[in-house]
Amino acid sequence: MKGLSRSAIILVFLIFGAASLWLQISCGIPNLDPPECSASRTVVREFYSFHFGNEMRFSGDGLKLRERFLTPALIESVGATAEGTDPFTTGDTDLPKAFRVGTCHVVSPDRTRFDVLLFWKDDTRSEQRTIKVEVAKIDGKWLVDKIDR
């Protein structure tokens, strides 16, 4: 009887071990993004998280804080922005409350384009708009290069 009990316990452990392994393999969420999108999505998310977490209205000091996320070409083009507007979302003084990085399209191995969804929600308004954000790989680093509203 002792031999049977020991065999039964071993069998139970084997069954639970196999079931656990199967769950780990089958319940993983597949990454459907191409490698370029996965790599460049991080900079878009980090940039907009930083932007929304700090003063969004344009200023020279604010631009300097964001330079680590931006290409030199975008920094130059944004440098002429009017004080108090937001060149990274709407281009005006109507500031969104939240964002979400959406669909990615690979333009080339060194360039991707994202849909970034912007949200406004308060007692009188619930609105969503989409902007296009292009990201370029420059010297091995992904940087925000262009924003189309």
Side-chain angles (χ1 to χ4, degrees), residues 8-37:
I9 291 172
I10 291 171
L11 183 62
V12 168
F13 278 115
L14 286 174
I15 290 171
F16 280 117
S20 173
L21 179 61
W22 179 80
L23 282 173
Q24 288 175 1
I25 293 170
S26 67
C27 291
I29 298 172
N31 185 354
L32 302 177
D33 265 349
E36 297 88 353
C37 289

Side-chain angles (χ1 to χ4, degrees), residues 89-145:
T89 59
T90 61
D92 58 25
T93 58
D94 185 20
L95 302 176
K97 303 292 185 203
F99 77 96
R100 182 171 60 88
V101 180
T103 307
C104 174
H105 304 280
V106 176
V107 177
S108 72
D110 292 334
R111 185 169 288 275
T112 55
R113 180 179 297 122
F114 288 90
D115 291 340
V116 175
L117 289 78
L118 305 175
F119 302 98
W120 290 260
K121 184 150 177 82
D122 57 31
D123 294 337
T124 60
R125 180 180 182 191
S126 181
E127 185 179 340
Q128 171 184 322
R129 291 186 211 160
T130 302
I131 60 174
K132 305 288 185 188
V133 176
E134 281 194 28
V135 184
K137 190 174 187 179
I138 298 175
D139 296 328
K141 184 176 180 183
W142 289 99
L143 299 168
V144 176
D145 186 50

Side-chain angles (χ1 to χ4, degrees), residues 52-106:
F52 274 72
N54 293 281
E55 177 60 43
M56 293 171 63
R57 297 186 191 282
F58 181 77
S59 71
D61 291 338
L63 180 58
K64 284 188 188 337
L65 292 173
R66 288 159 177 78
E67 284 181 356
R68 63 188 163 123
F69 300 105
L70 310 174
T71 63
L74 183 58
I75 293 167
E76 186 178 325
S77 70
V78 168
T81 300
E83 289 281 327
T85 62
D86 181 10
F88 303 114
T89 59
T90 61
D92 58 25
T93 58
D94 185 20
L95 302 176
K97 303 292 185 203
F99 77 96
R100 182 171 60 88
V101 180
T103 307
C104 174
H105 304 280
V106 176

Side-chain angles (χ1 to χ4, degrees), residues 38-51:
S38 296
S40 59
R41 182 179 298 276
T42 302
V43 74
V44 176
R45 191 174 345 142
E46 288 176 357
F47 171 69
Y48 278 99
S49 292
F50 181 86
H51 186 60

